[in-house]
Amino acid sequence: MGFLEKIKKGLNRTVQVLQTDVRDLFKTEGRLVDADFVNDLFETLVKTDMGVEAAQSAADEIKEKFRGRVVDKNEILAGVKEKLKALMAQEGPAVRFAESGPTIALFVGVNGAGKTTSIAKLTKAMTESGKTVVLGAADTFRAAAVEQLQIWARRLGVECVAGPAQSDPASVAHKAVSRALEVGADLCLIDCAGRLHTQKNLMNELVKIKRVVGKLVPDAPHETFLVIDATTGQNGLNQAKKFTEAVDCTGVVLTKLDGTAKGGVAVAIRQQVGLPVRYIGLGESESDFEAFNPNDFVEAMFS
Ligand SMILES: Nc1nc2c(ncn2[C@@H]2O[C@H](COP(=O)(O)OP(=O)(O)OP(=O)(O)O)[C@@H](O)[C@H]2O)c(=O)[nH]1
Ligand SMILES: [Mg+2]
């Protein structure tokens, strides 16, 4: 399956809702762009959870461009897509690799967001491109969490460093990074326990993990990926804002896009959280994962 096809399939629910709504907007061939139309367009866009601001600026763009004219669906969609792509523009690669030595990436976020699964998915993508990966099971909170990562590691054929149950997560992170240095791994991906931004101690624990790995490898962690569950909508968005205020994050992994009609949340994240979306999760299997590309994403949404 091609790249765009895969995203389209994953975004199926969002695509379907948009298709129906857009069809309703253009019941007649061509439509006069008046205040009613602009309002209907705004409401359609807002339904995808892209945020009021983004939906408004796309609708405004259409108003400015076409007001008083009768235009067809393709013209309108081209205008909307162009605006959304501009709003989501971002720079840089999906992973910013260390200049030399292992690249250290932490995965953080609220409980159940998809951190561990995303680590497995990224591991698969990286090993397939010839990179060596060491995992760190720094979610020592629950024994099952360590086991979950170990199972993935076995399946994917990579090493997983763990510590005794309830041990200090920072010491496990230290061990994992040391191991990555020792074996000359390209990447060390560290799984952190889920937490809420309001849990001060747990947030401080993340700060400590960062400090500890930074002592072993200058500039580490090179990435702190904030994992966000797309199905949690506005709530997830608010949590994400608070989260990254407490611990600097470098990018977002947006999971479970396959489970929601509100795929526009990717736009809202870019706009409201201010972090680039680096990867998207489109299902539960290890291959349901793609590096994020705003242009393809917007094309897929309106396909
Ligand atoms: N449909 C779908 N399910 C996903 C995706 N990513 C993760 N999941 C599922 O979400 C559930 C939670 O995933 P985990 O990776 O365990 O989440 P976590 O953030 O590590 O959870 P905690 O460690 O408990 O905080 C699992 O059932 C995953 O299979 C995705 O992109 N799509
Ligand atoms: Mg986990």
Side-chain angles (χ1 to χ4, degrees):
M1 213 187 295
F3 179 69
L4 197 59
E5 289 305 312
K6 240 176 116 174
I7 305 185
K8 273 190 216 168
K9 187 166 166 271
L11 274 178
N12 185 27
R13 293 189 57 196
T14 304
V15 172
Q16 276 185 354
V17 168
L18 265 177
Q19 267 177 359
T20 313
D21 280 14
V22 169
R23 200 185 320 119
D24 288 348
L25 273 180
F26 291 92
K27 276 197 187 113
T28 52
E29 186 130 325
R31 194 168 150 184
L32 174 67
V33 176
D34 56 7
D36 273 354
F37 175 79
V38 172
N39 201 38
D40 290 349
L41 179 64
F42 167 77
E43 276 173 14
T44 297
L45 296 176
V46 137
K47 266 205 217 165
T48 68
D49 259 20
M50 68 175 59
V52 169
E53 243 174 82
Q56 193 63 60
S57 64
D60 285 349
E61 176 100 347
I62 296 303
K63 183 163 82 181
E64 227 161 81
K65 252 189 174 154
F66 301 112
R67 184 166 37 191
R69 281 176 49 194
V70 174
V71 285
D72 68 20
K73 186 168 106 179
N74 291 337
E75 275 179 293
I76 296 288
L77 285 187
V80 168
K81 286 194 276 191
E82 195 187 328
K83 184 68 191 179
L84 293 179
K85 286 175 187 175
L87 289 178
M88 295 175 88
Q90 63 183 44
E91 284 176 4
V95 175
R96 292 178 312 187
F97 287 101
E99 272 174 32
S100 64
T103 300
I104 318 299
L106 304 184
F107 285 68
V108 304
V110 302
N111 302 78
K115 296 174 290 298
T116 307
T117 310
S118 296
I119 287 180
K121 290 171 171 177
L122 184 59
T123 299
K124 179 177 154 63
M126 287 295 156
T127 52
E128 275 178 356
S129 68
K131 298 207 182 298
T132 49
V133 179
V134 167
L135 303 182
D139 181 353
T140 56
F141 223 56
R142 295 178 297 123
V146 175
E147 219 170 279
Q148 186 190 356
L149 194 68
Q150 283 169 330
I151 291 169
W152 276 118
R154 266 199 299 279
R155 243 164 92 176
L156 297 164
V158 298
E159 188 176 346
C160 179
V161 174
Q166 308 297 324
S167 59
D168 178 13
S171 79
V172 176
H174 186 278
K175 234 171 99 180
V177 172
S178 304
R179 183 64 185 157
L181 283 165
E182 196 181 314
V183 300
D186 296 308
L187 278 150
C188 179
L189 308 180
I190 299 174
D191 191 20
C192 301
R195 67 203 72 210
L196 292 169
H197 67 270
T198 47
Q199 295 173 301
K200 263 239 146 48
N201 288 345
L202 292 180
M203 293 309 273
N204 287 338
E205 184 187 281
L206 288 179
V207 175
K208 183 175 169 194
I209 293 175
K210 282 181 133 188
R211 199 173 52 232
V212 163
V213 304
K215 278 193 184 148
L216 283 173
V217 176
D219 299 329
H222 306 90
E223 298 281 11
T224 302
F225 288 125
L226 177 59
V227 182
I228 303 178
D229 175 346
T231 65
T232 57
Q234 194 62 44
N235 200 12
L237 214 64
N238 291 336
Q239 279 173 349
K241 274 187 237 174
K242 299 268 170 51
F243 213 98
T244 187
E245 275 166 24
V247 211
D248 272 338
C249 300
T250 54
V252 166
V253 176
L254 185 60
T255 63
K256 309 189 197 181
L257 275 167
D258 53 304
T260 175
K262 296 174 180 294
V265 72
V267 186
I269 285 173
R270 178 80 190 110
Q271 278 227 299
Q272 295 176 34
V273 186
L275 290 172
V277 177
R278 301 288 198 74
Y279 286 97
I280 50 178
L282 298 160
E284 288 190 280
S285 109
E286 63 264 40
S287 15
D288 298 325
F289 196 61
E290 293 295 336
F292 184 71
N293 173 320
N295 290 355
D296 289 341
F297 188 83
V298 171
E299 286 299 335
M301 264 176 85
F302 292 93
S303 57

